[in-house]
Amino acid sequence: QVQLVESGGGSVQSGGSLRLSCAASGYTLRYVAWFRQAPGKEREGVAVIDRGGIPSYADSVKGRFTISQDNAKNTVFLQMNSLKPEDTAMYFCAGRVGAYYGARVALLSPNVYSYWGQGTQVTVSS
């Protein structure tokens, strides 16, 4: 089994920054992704990183968000800069144990992941 625990959410003004953390325990994850979901909207993939440290991002956050990991601490981070009100959402981290042979872009789909954290709220005010 895998447990994922997010932290670091909060309220900031537009243009501000936050750093989210996702602490994993249990099986070693090959991929860890961040998703977000705003009220009334579908869950959206934001960023993903593989065990080798290669990241991928949604177009909506490229250049503003950075995903990174500390393998020794089994923790994945999401540094969010230049935050906008439209970034307001519950942010979840998700993990996948098995290998994935599909298109890289599909790693931002929630269907790829078996393990999910409880989420941390990010609110950006204008």
Side-chain angles (χ1 to χ4, degrees), residues 86-110:
E86 51 263 43
D87 294 318
T88 295
M90 184 71 79
Y91 282 70
F92 301 87
C93 69
R96 178 182 174 92
V97 173
Y100 182 74
Y101 301 104
R104 182 84 184 180
V105 65
L107 286 170
L108 291 177
S109 169

Side-chain angles (χ1 to χ4, degrees), residues 5 11 13 16 18-19 31-32 34 36 39 50 53 55 64 69-70 73 79 81 86-87 93 101 110 113-114 125-126:
V5 179
S11 297
Q13 290 191 329
L18 283 173
R19 188 193 196 207
Y31 304 93
V32 176
W34 284 97
R36 65 186 181 187
D50 62 27
R64 300 189 298 122
Q69 63 189 3
D70 183 337
K73 296 182 179 180
Q79 178 66 44
N81 298 328
E86 51 263 43
D87 294 318
C93 69
Y101 301 104
Y113 299 91
S114 300
S125 58
S126 57

Side-chain angles (χ1 to χ4, degrees), residues 33-90:
W34 284 97
F35 289 80
R36 65 186 181 187
Q37 189 166 20
K41 294 189 176 181
E42 292 187 354
R43 192 163 294 191
E44 173 192 18
V46 172
V48 58
I49 192 166
D50 62 27
R51 191 71 182 170
I54 299 175
S56 296
Y57 300 94
D59 288 344
S60 58
V61 305
K62 279 181 182 176
R64 300 189 298 122
F65 290 11
T66 302
I67 190 169
S68 62
Q69 63 189 3
D70 183 337
N71 286 340
K73 296 182 179 180
N74 290 328
T75 301
V76 172
F77 306 98
L78 186 68
Q79 178 66 44
M80 306 186 295
N81 298 328
S82 302
L83 283 162
K84 305 175 181 179
E86 51 263 43
D87 294 318
T88 295
M90 184 71 79

Side-chain angles (χ1 to χ4, degrees), residues 6-24:
E6 303 97 333
S7 61
S11 297
V12 295
Q13 290 191 329
S14 182
S17 298
L18 283 173
R19 188 193 196 207
L20 306 184
S21 298
C22 173

